[in-house]
Amino acid sequence: MFTGMLHTHKLVVTLFLLIYLIKTILLLLNKNETLQSFIKKTRIAEMIISVAFLATGIYLANNSGNIGQLFWIKIICVAASIPIAVVAFKKSKKALAVLALLLIIASYGLGEMGKKGKKTNPQEFANVEAAQLGQSIYEKKCMNCHGADGKLGLSGSKDLTVSVLTREEKIIAIKEGKNAMMSFKDQLDDEQINAVVDYVSQFK
């Protein structure tokens, strides 16, 4: 479910941005007749895409365990862009059209920033005993989606207790990400990743 919503969100974001880009270009080029024709033909589609943009974004945030300040700024940018764009294209206000487009681009950029996540502070796990390192990292980075015992499966995550991945495949999945799971290669070093793999292996 989560992975499907993620792909749907990416699609509607792309379509949303494309529609606004075309309309803004037509307005800036003074192609008023073409613009009005385009608006008329895409009105219903744009309404559906706008709702889908917000709905899928809220769903993903609510089910990722990662609602933060960037998410709410992104939602505000999208929500603000819609009425601004309505006024801009209705009254042929080029500055407002550009502003609406910039707000949408900004929301997309904020979404990409949120995916990258924060890099781990080198001292974050410095005082954790080697035997507890994997557990400490798991509880901070993984438990929101996988649960304390690896069975939760929130956000479309897999049940770790029935995983058939090899150790190397688990390491690659943590480093590079898989499906809706983000990459942790910029957040965890090799020792930390190996510690997590050791810890989750006990779930089986």
Side-chain angles (χ1 to χ4, degrees):
M1 177 68 173
F2 184 87
T3 302
M5 290 293 281
L6 178 63
H7 292 316
T8 301
H9 183 68
K10 289 180 179 178
L11 175 61
V12 295
V13 167
T14 301
L15 292 174
F16 192 79
L17 182 58
L18 182 62
I19 289 174
Y20 271 53
L21 180 61
I22 292 172
K23 288 165 64 174
T24 302
I25 291 173
L26 290 174
L27 180 60
L28 293 177
L29 293 177
N30 296 315
K31 302 288 186 178
N32 294 326
E33 289 185 10
T34 305
L35 173 60
Q36 294 308 314
S37 175
F38 181 80
I39 290 174
K40 185 176 180 180
K41 290 178 180 178
T42 60
R43 181 174 287 117
I44 295 177
E46 185 177 346
M47 289 174 59
I48 294 172
I49 291 170
S50 298
V51 172
F53 188 142
L54 294 172
T56 55
I58 292 171
Y59 173 88
L60 292 173
N62 282 333
N63 288 277
S64 68
N66 189 32
I67 295 182
Q69 187 176 16
L70 284 180
F71 167 76
W72 293 114
I73 295 174
K74 176 182 175 180
I75 290 297
I76 290 171
C77 286
V78 174
S81 72
I82 296 173
I84 291 174
V86 169
V87 173
F89 297 119
K90 188 174 182 179
K91 297 188 176 182
S92 297
K93 300 291 185 179
K94 295 180 181 180
L96 289 180
V98 172
L99 176 59
L101 182 61
L102 289 176
L103 286 170
I104 297 169
I105 294 173
S107 71
Y108 179 81
L110 289 170
E112 292 301 307
M113 285 173 61
K115 290 177 188 176
K116 292 179 181 178
K118 282 186 174 181
K119 290 191 176 182
T120 300
N121 185 322
Q123 300 301 315
E124 186 173 2
F125 301 106
N127 297 320
V128 178
E129 294 291 335
Q132 296 179 322
L133 180 61
Q135 180 180 357
S136 178
I137 297 171
Y138 180 86
E139 290 176 350
K140 185 162 188 178
K141 304 287 186 181
C142 317
M143 195 166 68
N144 278 346
C145 292
H146 288 288
D149 57 2
K151 293 182 178 181
L152 185 57
L154 184 66
S155 306
S157 60
K158 302 299 181 183
D159 182 344
L160 299 180
T161 64
V162 296
S163 174
V164 295
L165 296 180
T166 65
R167 180 181 183 81
E168 185 60 32
E169 288 172 334
K170 290 176 183 176
I171 291 173
I172 292 173
I174 294 171
K175 281 186 176 181
E176 305 299 331
K178 188 173 183 180
N179 297 326
M181 176 178 162
M182 66 180 288
S183 165
F184 286 92
K185 64 184 177 183
D186 292 330
Q187 299 189 48
L188 303 172
D189 60 28
D190 289 342
E191 179 185 359
Q192 293 168 337
I193 290 174
N194 276 287
V196 173
V197 171
D198 288 338
Y199 179 72
V200 300
S201 294
Q202 72 171 329
F203 292 150
K204 300 188 70 172

